[in-house]
Amino acid sequence: EDSLLELLFLLSRRPVTQSEEISKIAHDCIGLVFSHAPLPPKRPGWMWMSGNHHGEEEDGFGRLYVSESLRLYPTSTPYNQFALAVLSMAKRQEFGTGTALYCARGMASRAATLESKGDHIHASALRKLLFGLVNVVPLAAVADLVVEYEAIIAAAAEVGHSSGGGLEGKRKVRSTLLQEFAAVLDANGDYFRKPDLAAWLQRMMSPGDPSH
């Protein structure tokens, strides 16, 4: 099982320019693993693949996959296949809040880097994916994820302010991210969580919100 995951991981990192279909298939297969296969916990042997300690986590392979895929996005990581794999992993009950927060923070960081380089399209796509996590994570993880969203939106808005946009730049960035969240929420058909998320969005968009 480890050897299969290692092979899929290595193939997913191949430059798209060399073997686009192989890369896409590898990401698709990893998504299927996240959807259907029981992942063995704590595999220190995975650490050789990136030189980090993700193998020591319960969801070690998933975190390793996310971090490396984000590092290679958008040049080598195919968005659609990556998005399906991430959402499949986020649904798993046994991973819970920690996995969701790890994915959200990683995507927010990569989106901020892309935004700073002027790659607004790919940055926006990543933000929509990180906002989409709230539609699929276990219900117990929703509250913590929403708190993380507030921090992510606030940090992005401050960048808009400090980069020369002033208060107007801050408001513009904040409005953009909330509109992205609204678009994702609109596609949410889960009426157990949608009302609370809609109320949160309304509060965040209110002129009276102290974070404006």
Side-chain angles (χ1 to χ4, degrees):
E1 185 174 359
D2 283 359
S3 60
L4 173 59
L5 290 175
E6 289 175 8
L7 176 61
L8 290 174
F9 178 75
L10 290 173
L11 291 176
S12 73
R13 300 169 74 191
R14 291 177 66 87
V16 172
T17 53
Q18 294 181 11
S19 49
E20 181 176 1
E21 290 306 312
I22 291 177
S23 176
K24 288 181 177 180
I25 291 171
H27 283 276
D28 281 336
C29 289
I30 290 173
L32 290 173
V33 170
F34 289 148
S35 294
H36 303 293
L39 289 179
K42 297 185 179 180
R43 284 291 190 267
W46 289 335
M47 290 188 290
W48 68 268
M49 292 189 277
S50 67
N52 60 35
H53 296 281
H54 291 312
E56 297 176 349
E57 305 289 346
E58 292 294 334
D59 55 351
F61 177 76
R63 294 189 182 210
L64 175 60
Y65 167 74
V66 169
S67 65
E68 286 297 289
S69 296
L70 286 173
R71 184 178 66 82
L72 297 172
Y73 176 80
T75 54
S76 295
T77 299
Y79 177 82
N80 290 336
Q81 289 75 13
F82 171 66
L84 288 173
V86 168
L87 294 176
S88 295
M89 181 176 67
K91 292 178 182 178
R92 295 184 72 130
Q93 293 285 341
E94 67 267 38
F95 289 165
T97 303
T99 298
L101 294 178
Y102 180 85
C103 291
R105 289 164 184 163
M107 286 186 279
S109 176
R110 184 59 179 157
T113 298
L114 293 172
E115 195 74 52
S116 70
K117 296 179 179 178
D119 191 347
H120 308 302
I121 293 176
H122 288 112
S124 178
L126 270 189
R127 288 194 299 266
K128 288 176 181 176
L129 176 56
L130 81 87
F131 288 144
L133 291 171
V134 81
N135 290 343
V136 302
V137 296
L139 285 173
V142 170
D144 287 337
L145 193 56
V146 167
V147 171
E148 187 66 27
Y149 288 164
E150 292 186 11
I152 289 170
I153 291 169
E158 283 304 316
V159 171
H161 179 276
S162 61
S163 61
L167 287 177
E168 184 59 33
K170 180 178 180 178
R171 293 191 188 100
K172 182 177 180 180
V173 170
R174 179 183 172 85
S175 176
T176 295
L177 268 65
L178 290 175
Q179 288 174 22
E180 290 170 346
F181 182 88
V184 171
L185 181 62
D186 189 55
N188 185 338
D190 183 346
Y191 290 95
F192 286 102
R193 64 182 81 195
K194 191 168 186 175
D196 289 340
L197 293 172
W200 173 81
L201 176 61
Q202 185 175 25
R203 176 178 67 78
M204 292 289 287
M205 298 183 76
S206 170
D209 185 85
S211 56
H212 272 276

